[in-house]
């Protein structure tokens, strides 16, 4: 079990290709956007009021975030596909 955690730490700290850095940033931003409605609900339940027009805007932003996530997932390739198309990391 210790070897597993050591491997996780090594992989976390290693240098990543630029593409995967970009994917990581996009997915992190998407996660923040997807969590925004829950945060705003908690704020409203805490006694703060948020304009009603924001709810529609938040739903639209979440929709765009989901579409971006679907696009990012589609961009993944296998090593063989990269070799066939001569794509370099």
């Amino acid at each position: 079990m210790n070897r597993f955690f050591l491997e996780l730490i090594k992989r976390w700290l290693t240098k990543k290709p630029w593409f995967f850095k970009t994917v990581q940033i996009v997915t992190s931003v998407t996660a923040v956007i997807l969590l925004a409605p829950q945060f705003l609900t908690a704020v409203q339940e805490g006694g703060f009021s948020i304009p009603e027009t924001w709810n529609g805007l938040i739903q639209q932003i979440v929709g765009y975030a989901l579409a971006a996530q679907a696009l990012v997932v589609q961009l993944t390739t296998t090593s063989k596909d990269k070799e066939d198309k001569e794509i370099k990391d």
Side-chain angles (χ1 to χ4, degrees), residues 31-50 54-55 58 62:
V32 169
I33 291 170
L34 291 175
L35 293 173
Q38 292 176 343
F39 173 74
L40 291 176
T41 300
V43 167
Q44 286 176 330
E45 289 176 358
F48 297 99
S49 61
I50 295 176
W54 282 27
N55 287 330
I58 291 167
V62 169

Side-chain angles (χ1 to χ4, degrees), residues 14-27:
T14 59
K15 186 176 178 183
K16 294 165 197 64
W18 70 270
F19 178 79
F20 290 106
K21 284 182 192 176
T22 305
V23 169
Q24 187 176 31
I25 290 168
V26 169
T27 55

Side-chain angles (χ1 to χ4, degrees), residues 26-37 57-73:
V26 169
T27 55
S28 297
V29 169
T30 303
V32 169
I33 291 170
L34 291 175
L35 293 173
L57 178 64
I58 291 167
Q59 290 174 353
Q60 190 175 14
I61 290 171
V62 169
Y64 286 128
L66 288 171
Q69 190 68 22
L71 177 66
V72 167
V73 170

